[in-house]
Amino acid sequence: MSALLKRVARAPGGRRGKWLVLAAWLVLAVALGPLAGKLGDVEDTGPNAFLPHGAESARVNTELEKFRTDTVMPAVVVYTGEGAGSTAAAERAALARFVADGQEISGPVPSDDGRALMTVVPLDTEDEDVTDKIDELREIAGANAPPGVTVDVGGPAGSLTDQVAVFDSLDTTLMLATGLVVAALLLITYRSPLLWLLPLLSVGFAAVLTQVCTYLLARYAGLPVDPQSAGVLMVLVFGVGTDYALLLIARYREELHRHTDRHQAMRIALRRSGPAILASAATIAVGLCCLAFADINSSRSLGLVGAVGVVCAFLAMVTVLPALLVVTGRGVFWPFVPRYGTPGRGPRTVWSRVGAAVARHPRRSWLVSVAVTGVLALSTAGISMGLTQAELFDGRPESVVAQDRISAHYPSGASDPATVVTRTDRAAEVRRAAAKVDGVARVEPDGDRTPDGRLTTVSVVLADAPDSDAAKDTVDGLRDAVHAVDGADALVGGSTAESLDTQRAADRDLRTVVPIVLLVVLGVLILLLRALVGPLLLLATVVLSYVAALGAANLLFEHVLGFAGVDWALPLMGFVFLVALGIDYNIFLMHRVREETARIGHARGVLEGLTSTGGVITSAGVVLAATFAVFAGLPLVTLAQLGVLVGIGVLLDTFLVRTVLVPALALDLDRWFWWPGAHFRALRDGTAKDGAGSGSTPTGHGSREPSPLP
């Protein structure tokens, strides 16, 4: 590893190599940049993009493709108020132009209470995007409504349009917001008018490379990409890339105090910080890749796409950023220019004082830390899992309003019935079996057939709202009933079945993926620290931090943000992100601690590691938490909850776990923290420094250079 890092460091840290590296990145950006804008072309927005792989509802969507050559999706127009009947009748002709070939408008159908009418418009989505048609349909339907009549467009097509509207602005909003947040925090961190530009420029190169690689892998290697994973991708690249930039710049600035030649300083900085950055990138990337074992397609997409982003961010931060730093020289740090022979920090920083306080009572420190996180973790007991369609949005889009009006005047499932696909020769028996199921309002007498006549659809209207627990129970009963029909090969789909399948898959994924992630992360830590006790404790602290963050986030969701519950996908996505990202800071800290303990002994090495990395790791944690906090302002509750959870978890890791809990455990266990590796034996046998001798890093006095954290 040392020889490899030396060879890698020669290029961006060399006198000629730095120019070659910059030239290569510029050529790459110019040549491949146009492909970065094509990522949206390979995004999967199909009906199965967010469903469990192989679920019955997903199989129904696949079977439905056999029924027609075009794509048909129903929009439901609901009229309420005095004069609704005449309005619906007058608009029927205007709505007809939206109808798919071979299809007909259904309705207007009056409600049993006579206070509403409902028209179902089957949209042809083959020639034009369904969202454009819904926007136009809403304009036409609303324009002709007289005073006192309300017109709302919902149904599956309306709901899809409202969700896509969130994702349409997601990339632009997140890129702008994340860029502004990172730029502001870098300005505050470095207090330099120039230095902050270099990490941001390097992250920009990483973003281009990420989008190009993701596009190529999706197009030619089958990498699954959906709008959600594409949006999260850029935030992850900005956050992780900035973290690596902060770590490298901090180590480079240390070496500039010790070496007159900035090229030599960069080569040493890369060699010494490289293993920690590489271990961090490997941990996050491999941890995210573990989501490939998930059944839910969107979770698999988020994990694999995120791993691509982390690898690209790593490549950019260890090549283009060092080259930019060496090219611009020491002056880029102005007004706090690191001079050779001057001290890098004062003798009493905030982190040295924190370390001294922890060292006085290490056992009490880690017990108090565990108690604090344990109290927060207790709040997970009251989590309400699951969100309805209406609760997925922070607000009330038109499709949600339309569903409310349908539920008030019709059987709640009238706008979005369950769909049964069965063999045509058993369709009559399937209809009779479905009609006997409790919770079924009615079974439609006619259905579509495939061109060969082999398969038939049966539309089943549920009595309850499509996303309610009662409707899910009805789907379970419906499946039992139609599966029992011999020779029917019946499958039950529709939005209620999709919600039920996703809920169960999320629980199964949590039980499957979590142990895999823990084993992978533990393996990386063992390889990095060459020990067993320390890695086990570090992993335990991150898991404890995750549970505490989930509890704290739940308190915010319930009492501050007013969310009705927690999305089913959040526990798994939050776990993978927080374990991978949280272990990041422990890697940065303990890699430096291991380096220092080999030189000055265990106790002094732990404190020196905390002191030397405290500012940069805290800055990195604040930046990463702030980038994910951008999600909290989005109207899609799932992403808002993910941003809040990851932000809280990263701050807990930064200010409590890495600052107090981990150093206290390391001090309390003494050399046993490194058992059974060679480092433990060296400390035991006295071949490593015991901390009583000289050789500690000089701190100096009177430095005017600021800490990395303001």
Side-chain angles (χ1 to χ4, degrees):
M1 177 63 72
S2 178
L4 176 62
L5 289 173
K6 285 181 180 179
R7 289 195 294 270
V8 172
R10 286 195 193 105
R15 297 183 184 278
R16 287 179 295 181
K18 61 181 182 291
W19 298 110
L20 293 175
V21 168
L22 289 178
W25 274 97
L26 288 172
V27 170
L28 185 71
V30 172
L32 300 180
L35 295 179
K38 294 185 176 182
L39 184 57
D41 297 344
V42 294
E43 290 180 6
D44 181 8
T45 57
N48 290 342
F50 295 90
L51 293 181
H53 180 70
E56 184 170 339
S57 55
R59 291 162 60 197
V60 168
N61 289 332
T62 302
E63 291 295 312
L64 289 176
E65 295 176 3
K66 302 175 181 178
F67 281 78
R68 52 183 72 91
T69 57
D70 57 338
T71 303
V72 175
M73 182 175 291
V76 179
V77 186
V78 186
Y79 303 86
T80 54
E82 295 294 332
S86 58
T87 303
E91 288 187 345
R92 182 182 172 90
L95 301 180
R97 69 185 183 88
F98 295 98
V99 176
D101 293 340
Q103 302 291 319
E104 294 182 356
I105 289 181
S106 176
V109 179
S111 61
D112 292 339
D113 59 12
R115 296 165 58 190
L117 290 100
M118 178 174 64
T119 300
V120 179
V121 183
L123 301 183
D124 180 358
T125 62
E126 186 177 38
D127 299 326
E128 187 179 352
D129 187 73
V130 65
T131 59
D132 295 334
K133 290 194 172 187
I134 286 292
D135 290 339
E136 188 177 355
L137 193 152
R138 283 172 171 169
E139 290 181 7
I140 293 175
N144 299 323
V149 176
T150 59
V151 183
D152 301 288
V153 179
S159 178
L160 175 65
T161 298
D162 291 333
Q163 292 184 48
V164 170
V166 174
F167 288 114
D168 278 346
S169 60
L170 182 63
D171 290 345
T172 302
T173 301
L174 285 180
M175 284 289 286
L176 289 175
T178 305
L180 290 174
V181 167
V182 171
L185 289 173
L186 288 174
L187 270 169
I188 295 171
T189 299
Y190 291 125
R191 282 168 274 181
S192 166
L194 300 174
L195 184 57
W196 67 277
L197 290 169
L198 302 189
L200 211 57
L201 182 60
S202 302
V203 169
F205 278 111
V208 172
L209 180 63
T210 298
Q211 291 185 320
V212 170
C213 291
T214 304
Y215 168 76
L216 293 175
L217 289 171
R219 187 172 183 84
Y220 299 108
L223 178 70
V225 182
D226 59 54
Q228 176 178 279
S229 61
V232 174
L233 176 62
M234 287 299 98
V235 173
L236 184 63
V237 170
F238 265 83
V240 171
T242 306
D243 273 8
Y244 298 158
L246 289 166
L247 185 68
L248 178 62
I249 291 173
R251 195 60 188 256
Y252 175 54
R253 183 161 56 184
E254 282 186 38
E255 299 304 328
L256 286 175
H257 287 285
R258 300 169 183 156
H259 304 279
T260 56
D261 184 3
R262 66 182 187 275
H263 299 88
Q264 183 183 8
M266 177 55 71
R267 288 194 294 269
I268 294 174
L270 274 174
R271 287 203 304 268
R272 292 183 176 174
S273 63
I277 296 176
L278 177 60
S280 167
T283 303
I284 298 175
V286 176
L288 290 174
C289 283
C290 291
L291 282 171
F293 294 98
D295 280 342
I296 299 177
N297 289 328
S298 56
S299 296
R300 295 172 61 244
S301 173
L302 182 60
L304 296 174
V305 169
V308 173
V310 171
V311 171
C312 292
F314 166 76
L315 292 175
M317 292 305 121
V318 297
T319 54
V320 68
L321 177 60
L324 288 170
L325 287 167
V326 175
V327 166
T328 52
R330 297 175 187 262
V332 76
F333 289 90
W334 185 87
F336 303 101
V337 180
R339 303 294 184 186
Y340 171 68
T342 60
R345 62 176 185 270
R348 291 289 291 172
T349 67
V350 63
W351 308 111
S352 65
R353 291 193 290 270
V354 169
V358 171
R360 283 194 293 270
H361 304 286
R363 185 163 301 176
R364 182 189 304 173
S365 297
W366 70 257
L367 285 173
V368 170
S369 300
V370 170
V372 171
T373 51
V375 169
L376 291 175
L378 291 176
S379 300
T380 58
I383 289 181
S384 174
M385 295 300 301
L387 296 170
T388 66
Q389 187 67 34
E391 294 164 351
L392 285 174
F393 298 94
D394 185 15
R396 291 179 57 77
E398 188 168 338
S399 59
V400 172
V401 175
Q403 179 57 48
D404 288 345
R405 299 194 190 282
I406 292 170
S407 298
H409 301 287
Y410 296 87
S412 296
S415 66
D416 194 4
T419 300
V420 181
V421 177
T422 181
R423 293 176 60 90
T424 300
D425 57 355
R426 294 289 187 272
E429 297 175 50
V430 167
R431 287 190 178 93
R432 287 193 293 271
K436 297 177 181 179
V437 176
D438 291 338
V440 171
R442 67 174 184 271
V443 178
E444 301 295 348
D446 299 316
D448 295 329
R449 290 189 181 184
T450 54
D452 60 7
R454 190 175 67 86
L455 298 177
T456 295
T457 62
V458 177
S459 184
V460 180
V461 177
L462 308 182
D464 301 289
D467 48 14
S468 65
D469 290 337
K472 293 173 185 175
D473 292 339
T474 302
V475 166
D476 269 334
L478 183 61
R479 282 175 168 171
D480 290 341
V482 301
H483 291 170
V485 178
D486 290 336
D489 298 330
L491 301 171
V492 178
S495 65
T496 304
E498 291 172 358
S499 178
L500 178 64
D501 290 341
T502 301
Q503 173 183 328
R504 289 174 175 168
D507 184 58
R508 183 169 58 251
D509 287 348
L510 195 63
R511 297 194 305 269
T512 302
V513 176
V514 165
I516 297 174
V517 172
L518 292 177
L519 288 174
V520 166
V521 172
L522 179 62
V524 173
L525 288 173
I526 291 173
L527 288 174
L528 179 70
L529 300 181
R530 307 292 196 274
L532 182 59
V533 172
L536 286 171
L537 287 175
L538 292 178
L539 194 63
T541 62
V542 173
V543 173
L544 179 62
S545 174
Y546 160 73
V547 179
L550 186 60
N554 182 56
L555 292 176
L556 285 178
F557 297 158
E558 186 174 350
H559 300 292
V560 178
L561 300 176
F563 295 147
V566 173
D567 187 83
W568 284 105
L570 183 68
L572 178 60
M573 289 194 300
F575 177 84
V576 173
F577 272 101
L578 281 180
V579 169
L581 295 172
I583 210 69
D584 226 18
Y585 302 122
N586 284 330
I587 287 174
F588 293 161
L589 170 64
M590 297 314 297
H591 178 266
R592 186 61 179 265
V593 167
R594 191 176 189 276
E595 178 184 330
E596 297 296 339
T597 54
R599 192 170 58 85
I600 59 176
H602 180 77
R604 291 177 62 193
V606 170
L607 297 181
E608 177 62 23
L610 174 61
T611 301
S612 59
T613 63
V616 63
I617 294 180
T618 303
S619 298
V622 171
V623 169
L624 188 62
T627 54
F628 272 90
V630 171
F631 285 134
L634 296 178
L636 198 63
V637 171
T638 302
L639 290 181
Q641 290 184 342
L642 179 63
V644 171
L645 175 59
V646 174
I648 291 175
V650 168
L651 292 178
L652 274 175
D653 276 326
T654 302
F655 290 102
L656 182 62
V657 174
R658 193 269 313 158
T659 305
V660 179
L661 180 55
V662 171
L665 285 169
L667 289 169
D668 196 19
L669 287 172
D670 198 59
R671 66 175 182 270
W672 290 97
F673 187 87
W674 307 102
W675 185 88
H679 200 51
F680 164 78
R681 295 191 296 272
L683 291 169
R684 180 195 61 192
D685 299 337
T687 54
K689 297 284 186 181
D690 62 3
S694 62
S696 62
T697 302
T699 55
H701 300 272
S703 173
R704 294 178 63 249
E705 184 176 2
S707 165
L709 183 72

